[in-house]
Amino acid sequence: MMSNVTPSRLKPTVEWQVAGACNYDCSYCIQSRRYRKGRPDSVQMDSALRAFAALPGTWEIKCSGGEAFAHPLFMSQIVPGLMEQTPHHISVLTNLSATRPELMRFAALTRGRLRVFSASLHLEFTALQDFIDKATWLCLLYTSPSPRDATLSR
């Protein structure tokens, strides 16, 4: 039963796999290593951003991969482009391996337009407490009046 879903809560969504590549190589990954390759180049990114800008209304653009933050253009072109060239919201699926400075920049760029920040836990590559600490810090980053305030609580 979908009693909590109302037409006003439904938003059109596009899933954008911004990279096939991932910086982890988990033994249990469902994506075969031979397919975890590929990264669209700057020209392809510009084309995708133009297409998203042409979408009517406000959509949710879900960025995933591989690992979105592992794409060299994710923080320099993709996220800034979505925020500057479109009215859309952004979501991201990540393994949370991005550095704290990268996450601070992401938070600053997406403030007010982030829908979902989904972090997958991979114990082959991170300690549980490190993951918890970083996820908790990220939540604080988004709930602080400004991203800079969260750095004081680090």
Side-chain angles (χ1 to χ4, degrees):
M1 183 172 185
M2 297 177 45
S3 62
N4 64 343
V5 177
T6 61
S8 64
R9 291 184 58 184
L10 296 176
K11 302 290 180 204
T13 303
V14 172
E15 182 172 340
W16 185 15
Q17 293 183 328
V18 300
C22 182
N23 57 329
Y24 287 178
D25 188 20
C26 301
S27 63
Y28 50 83
C29 186
I30 61 170
Q31 293 177 316
S32 169
R33 182 180 297 168
R34 75 178 211 203
Y35 295 114
R36 282 184 270 145
K37 300 177 185 173
R39 293 181 171 132
D41 63 26
S42 184
V43 172
Q44 293 167 318
M45 290 298 172
D46 283 341
S47 177
L49 290 168
R50 281 192 304 277
F52 293 141
L55 293 172
T58 304
W59 292 58
E60 176 185 359
I61 310 298
K62 290 185 176 184
C63 298
S64 65
E67 171 55 36
F69 282 93
H71 192 300
L73 300 176
F74 188 63
M75 291 303 299
S76 64
Q77 184 178 1
I78 298 168
V79 176
L82 285 171
M83 297 300 101
E84 294 166 6
Q85 300 172 33
T86 79
H88 307 312
H89 297 279
I90 187 171
S91 291
V92 67
L93 172 59
T94 177
N95 59 27
L96 203 57
S97 63
T99 65
R100 287 181 188 234
E102 288 173 317
L103 294 171
M104 285 181 69
R105 182 155 185 263
F106 182 82
L109 288 169
T110 62
R111 190 165 284 273
R113 296 191 35 208
L114 180 70
R115 283 285 186 232
V116 175
F117 192 104
S118 179
S120 54
L121 173 60
H122 299 282
L123 293 174
E124 290 182 349
F125 289 89
T126 189
L128 179 59
Q129 191 59 53
D130 292 342
F131 181 87
I132 292 168
D133 291 347
K134 192 182 247 184
T136 302
W137 170 83
L138 184 63
C139 288
L140 177 62
L141 189 65
Y142 272 99
T143 57
S144 297
S146 74
R148 187 155 182 80
D149 294 340
T151 62
L152 303 174
S153 303
R154 198 183 146 180

